[in-house]
Amino acid sequence: MGKRKTQRKNATMLDSDDDNSSVSSSSTMRSDRMSVSASEEAEFNKDSLLDEAVDALYEKRGSTREKALAVIIEAFNSNLQQGQQFVERKFATLLHQCLNSIKKGSSKEISLASHTIGLLALTVGPGDNAREILEESMIPLSQAFKSGSDPSKTASLLECMAVITFVGGNDPEETEKSMQIMWQLVHPKLGSNVVAVKPSAAVITAVVSAWSFLLTTMDGWRLSPKLWQESITYLSSLLDKDDRSARIAAGEALAVIFEMGSLEKFAAETKGFSDGSVSEGNKSKEGFSYIQGLKGKILNQVRDLSVEAGGKGSAKKDLNNQRNLFKDVLEFLEDGYSPNTSMKIGGDLLQTSSWSQLIQLNFLRCFLAGGFTKHMQENEFLQDIFGFTPNKRNLLGSEHMSYGEKRMYKSPNSALNKARTQLLNKQRMLSAGRNFGHYAVNVGDEDS
């Protein structure tokens, strides 16, 4: 009974409107100043807010759970240290409630829960907890792909699977398994009871991006020639599609494949594979010729896309991004030069010098969104991945937060700030009752 009352109270906090919780009387305003000092309001009981959000995940109302997940996501993005401390206490509870949301929630709730699990993996870093996340999540995530076809939900599930595999996968077999699950969404194994469903351009882009992200962690020599032929042929076909985002994702994937030397390895294996028979010899020659022809085709496609004048794809604002990407891919294919990139993070420089690093950086930057800078400054796992060492002066306090982070954290429209305001309003109302009711506290006593 006590737990249900606590959960109901938390749900009320997350459901209530700011306008209904406010008290406009001058006496209450005076009470506000007494009961919530400036330092108390600045500090705010963030752990309590996270506890209440996790408790709200037990509620039956889906909208309440969605709001709670949004609060958790924003808290994990805005304060990594707080997230790590919270996970030490509530890791298992948060993970399993998110998995329950994936199993029974709406598309929006599934998207939020998937993102939360991905953030959870990045927050705990490699180790036993990350292993548990991967092992416990694979079946629910795989099943969720089959329920409905909302592209946004599918993209969130793919991002989650990619991130938890990236952090928690200890061996190549686990990574390859995740890549195969992703690939099935665009290349399903058809059987007598399976009907092929054409994936949307958004789903294709999400699959290729997540698949490429995991490919950067693999040793290309482990993957079978059959897989390479299937994937390279499919990626080449995407370069001719109308959707620009799908073309860009395919171009990045092909760049990683060429960087790994996998196409050359595949061609060499095909050329050398023969047991001496005439039939096998002819097959190997045909296979080698096919690979060489495919490589030439890809080179021509990349060259065309690097100078495209427009007309393919409706998102013209991405045309320059496409041209720049394929110019880099073309330079790499022709001259062997990988793109060198750099970006400022809190005054420090993060640099990449390979396609694999660039793909990893872009994927994690997109996944973390407003929390990217904070994680790069404080998350040792990500710092190790990119060889990034932030200057300590950038980690001393909120005065060094980026403009975007300050807006995200302080915006009155943010989920974390809304919940924070609602809880503070409740505290003020309770304080007003204490200070001006029968058991009022003498003002002078508080000031002394």
Side-chain angles (χ1 to χ4, degrees):
M1 287 294 292
K3 178 137 186 154
R4 291 299 302 172
K5 287 181 179 179
T6 302
Q7 292 168 3
R8 186 65 253 159
K9 176 190 72 174
N10 298 335
T12 302
M13 182 273 289
L14 288 164
D15 282 341
S16 62
D17 294 329
D18 293 347
D19 293 340
N20 295 333
S21 302
S22 61
V23 179
S24 58
S25 68
S26 60
S27 61
T28 304
M29 292 173 66
R30 187 156 59 94
S31 171
D32 290 349
R33 291 194 294 271
M34 292 187 294
S35 62
V36 185
S37 68
S39 60
E40 288 173 332
E41 187 168 347
E43 273 298 314
F44 187 66
N45 193 346
K46 299 173 185 175
D47 284 339
S48 175
L49 180 60
L50 277 172
D51 284 331
E52 292 180 352
V54 170
D55 286 343
L57 296 179
Y58 288 92
E59 288 297 320
K60 290 183 178 180
R61 186 184 300 176
S63 60
T64 301
R65 298 195 301 268
E66 290 169 7
K67 290 178 182 178
L69 288 166
V71 168
I72 294 168
I73 289 170
E74 193 164 347
F76 272 49
N77 274 337
S78 61
N79 192 324
L80 182 64
Q81 185 177 11
Q82 176 204 357
Q84 290 170 333
Q85 293 171 347
F86 178 77
V87 165
E88 290 178 2
R89 298 185 294 108
K90 293 289 185 78
F91 167 77
T93 301
L94 179 57
L95 173 61
H96 289 102
Q97 286 309 114
C98 285
L99 291 176
N100 285 337
S101 289
I102 289 176
K103 293 173 185 176
K104 66 182 181 181
S106 64
S107 291
K108 181 179 179 181
E109 184 177 349
I110 291 172
S111 296
L112 290 167
S114 299
H115 197 81
T116 303
I117 291 175
L119 281 175
L120 184 61
L122 288 173
T123 301
V124 301
D128 292 340
N129 284 343
R131 291 286 308 156
E132 183 177 345
I133 293 173
L134 180 60
E135 292 170 358
E136 295 290 329
S137 302
M138 286 303 292
I139 291 178
L141 290 175
S142 300
Q143 292 175 340
F145 283 127
K146 303 172 185 177
S147 61
S149 56
D150 179 18
S152 177
K153 180 204 76 172
T154 302
S156 295
L157 291 167
L158 285 163
E159 289 179 347
C160 176
M161 182 174 288
V163 169
I164 65 174
T165 304
F166 184 78
V167 181
N170 285 344
D171 56 68
E173 286 76 14
E174 291 173 325
T175 302
E176 190 169 354
K177 178 182 178 182
S178 293
M179 293 173 68
Q180 288 173 347
I181 292 172
M182 295 172 181
W183 202 252
Q184 289 300 307
L185 296 178
V186 291
H187 263 287
K189 291 181 179 178
L190 300 180
S192 57
N193 297 323
V194 178
V195 178
V197 178
K198 185 178 180 180
S200 66
V203 169
I204 291 173
T205 301
V207 167
V208 174
S209 296
W211 185 87
S212 304
F213 175 66
L214 292 182
L215 180 62
T216 63
T217 69
M218 291 289 288
D219 178 0
W221 293 83
R222 293 186 55 89
L223 303 179
S224 69
K226 181 180 179 182
L227 176 60
W228 281 128
Q229 180 172 349
E230 180 183 276
S231 59
I232 295 167
T233 302
Y234 179 71
L235 293 171
S236 174
S237 73
L238 291 182
L239 297 182
D240 294 326
K241 297 294 184 182
D242 289 338
D243 187 81
R244 186 164 286 132
S245 61
R247 296 200 300 268
I248 290 174
E252 291 175 336
L254 286 166
V256 173
I257 289 173
F258 277 104
E259 183 176 68
M260 297 169 72
S262 302
L263 191 60
E264 287 76 7
K265 169 249 182 181
F266 180 28
E269 279 192 358
T270 305
K271 184 179 181 181
F273 180 74
S274 174
D275 61 1
S277 67
V278 175
S279 61
E280 288 295 340
N282 289 337
K283 286 182 181 179
S284 66
K285 289 179 181 178
E286 290 174 3
F288 179 72
S289 298
Y290 174 78
I291 295 302
Q292 291 301 311
L294 183 58
K295 184 176 180 180
K297 177 186 176 183
I298 291 171
L299 188 60
N300 289 330
Q301 289 174 306
V302 169
R303 186 178 291 111
D304 291 342
L305 290 170
S306 69
V307 294
E308 183 188 358
K312 270 189 175 183
S314 57
K316 292 185 178 180
K317 65 180 181 180
D318 292 332
L319 180 59
N320 286 336
N321 291 336
Q322 175 188 289
R323 288 172 179 164
N324 293 335
L325 169 71
F326 284 102
K327 283 178 182 177
D328 288 339
V329 176
L330 183 63
E331 185 177 16
F332 177 68
L333 295 181
E334 291 184 333
D335 303 319
Y337 295 120
S338 296
N340 292 311
T341 67
S342 61
M343 65 180 299
K344 282 260 183 107
I345 297 180
D348 298 305
L349 210 58
L350 188 157
Q351 297 176 306
T352 67
S353 57
S354 69
W355 281 107
S356 292
Q357 283 185 320
L358 181 59
I359 299 307
Q360 289 177 2
L361 177 63
N362 287 340
F363 187 90
L364 290 170
R365 188 180 180 185
C366 179
F367 177 78
L368 289 169
F372 174 74
T373 297
K374 179 64 68 175
H375 273 263
M376 285 308 307
Q377 289 179 329
E378 299 181 10
N379 191 316
E380 293 182 1
F381 169 63
L382 294 184
Q383 291 169 5
D384 289 342
I385 292 295
F386 297 107
F388 177 70
T389 304
N391 194 319
K392 295 298 182 184
R393 65 181 168 79
N394 294 318
L395 307 178
L396 295 178
S398 62
E399 65 271 17
H400 297 291
M401 292 171 64
S402 70
Y403 176 70
E405 287 180 305
K406 289 179 180 178
R407 285 195 64 187
M408 180 188 72
Y409 185 73
K410 296 181 179 180
S411 169
N413 294 321
S414 70
L416 184 61
N417 218 27
K418 282 182 177 178
R420 173 183 181 276
T421 301
Q422 290 165 1
L423 187 58
L424 283 173
N425 283 336
K426 280 183 27 177
Q427 291 174 343
R428 290 164 179 162
M429 291 175 67
L430 291 173
S431 178
R434 288 195 302 269
N435 292 333
F436 296 96
H438 183 70
Y439 297 101
V441 177
N442 186 281
V443 176
D445 292 339
E446 288 193 19
D447 293 337
S448 60

